[in-house]
Amino acid sequence: GAVVSQHPSRVICKSGTSVKIECRSLDFQATTMFWYRQFPKQSLMLMATSNEGSKATYEQGVEKDKFLINHASLTLSTLTVTSAHPEDSSFYICSARWTGEGEAFFGQGTRLTVV
Amino acid sequence: GQQLNQSPQSMFIQEGEDVSMNCTSSSIFNTWLWYKQDPGEGPVLLIALYKAGELTSNGRLTAQFGITRKDSFLNISASIPSDVGIYFCAGQRTSGSRLTFGEGTQLTVNP
């Protein structure tokens, strides 16, 4: 299957600082990338969808000024959590797809802890 | 919010037993996907289904796309300890649309 690499896998930051998470498709060009948030023992919650070269589409209730998404190339999307607070602590996962249909491949996830 | 009903929520089985889990929806999906997630990792794609009635295998795993296009099941035969994890179904309504995930099935395999 296709490989999606997410970095970092774990990050601890202080309240008020910003954190950037990278998502790269290593062996294919990703027309669309997705960012999810997952709480313990729960399913994946879609935060936003991004297409290369255009603005991300955010799900209802997700603050676009807080969770900045950039999809500058067909192989890289970034999620920046700005002015992080402890309640932003969570597991963030990206996925990438190269066609409109079906299969989306996930990164390894990033465990964010805000102290 | 979630629109896929996945069951069971959890299963505790003995090594060697077969496992079955399913997802149902009130609306039609054109694609069904099954993923497995290990603790602290992202989901890994197990099987993708694209046609109603399709039955696809991947080793000891078998999944079917329901004829009504509103359900799918995943079977695991002869379970082994490394099958432990959370299994998610996901559906896609139309080409290019987002995935909708089930709530997950937590599988525990006792040696």
Side-chain angles (χ1 to χ4, degrees), chain B residues 1-69:
Chain B
Q2 298 297 332
Q3 298 175 44
L4 290 183
N5 299 309
Q6 185 171 350
S7 64
Q9 284 187 322
S10 61
M11 302 182 75
F12 297 84
I13 63 170
Q14 293 296 124
E15 183 176 359
E17 290 183 354
D18 297 343
V19 171
S20 184
M21 60 192 78
N22 69 83
C23 271
T24 60
S25 171
S26 58
S27 54
I28 289 172
F29 287 91
N30 284 332
T31 302
W32 285 93
L33 306 169
W34 285 92
Y35 291 90
K36 182 190 178 205
Q37 185 178 28
D38 291 326
E41 300 287 334
V44 173
L45 181 66
L46 299 174
I47 293 178
L49 303 160
Y50 297 105
K51 292 172 61 176
E54 179 180 356
L55 184 71
T56 298
S57 293
N58 178 8
R60 294 178 294 107
L61 279 61
T62 302
Q64 184 158 30
F65 191 145
I67 290 177
T68 65
R69 294 195 282 160

Side-chain angles (χ1 to χ4, degrees), chain A residues 34 36 38 42-44 46 49 59 91 93 97 100-109, chain B residues 2 31 33 35 37 40-43 45 48 50 88 92 95-99 101-103:
Chain A
F34 304 86
Y36 295 84
Q38 187 178 33
Q42 293 190 21
S43 189
L44 287 76
L46 181 65
T49 301
E59 295 298 302
F91 193 55
I93 315 173
R97 177 196 290 171
E101 191 161 336
E103 303 173 25
F105 298 92
F106 286 82
Q108 306 93 319
Chain B
Q2 298 297 332
T31 302
L33 306 169
Y35 291 90
Q37 185 178 28
E41 300 287 334
L45 181 66
Y50 297 105
F88 290 101
Q92 186 187 32
S95 178
S97 66
R98 53 176 287 182
L99 294 183
F101 282 86
E103 294 292 344

Side-chain angles (χ1 to χ4, degrees), chain A:
Chain A
V3 180
V4 176
S5 177
Q6 189 172 337
H7 178 81
S9 57
R10 291 177 178 270
V11 58
I12 300 173
C13 70
K14 292 184 177 180
S15 271
T17 62
S18 295
V19 174
K20 180 183 283 188
I21 302 170
E22 291 188 350
C23 180
R24 293 181 183 273
S25 56
L26 298 187
D27 52 1
F28 67 99
Q29 292 186 323
T31 54
T32 308
M33 288 188 170
F34 304 86
W35 287 95
Y36 295 84
R37 185 172 179 175
Q38 187 178 33
F39 293 103
K41 299 188 183 301
Q42 293 190 21
S43 189
L44 287 76
M45 182 183 75
L46 181 65
M47 299 175 65
T49 301
S50 73
N51 294 294
E52 182 263 342
S54 60
K55 289 184 179 180
T57 302
Y58 290 80
E59 295 298 302
Q60 191 172 5
V62 178
E63 300 176 57
K64 62 180 181 180
D65 293 331
K66 180 165 186 62
F67 298 99
L68 300 178
I69 292 173
N70 185 284
H71 191 165
S73 77
L74 282 171
T75 59
L76 174 64
S77 176
T78 60
L79 167 67
T80 301
V81 183
T82 63
S83 187
H85 290 284
E87 56 265 31
D88 297 326
S89 298
S90 192
F91 193 55
Y92 293 87
I93 315 173
C94 71
S95 73
R97 177 196 290 171
W98 71 78
T99 66
E101 191 161 336
E103 303 173 25
F105 298 92
F106 286 82
Q108 306 93 319
T110 297
R111 172 70 60 192
L112 170 63
T113 303
V114 184
V115 298

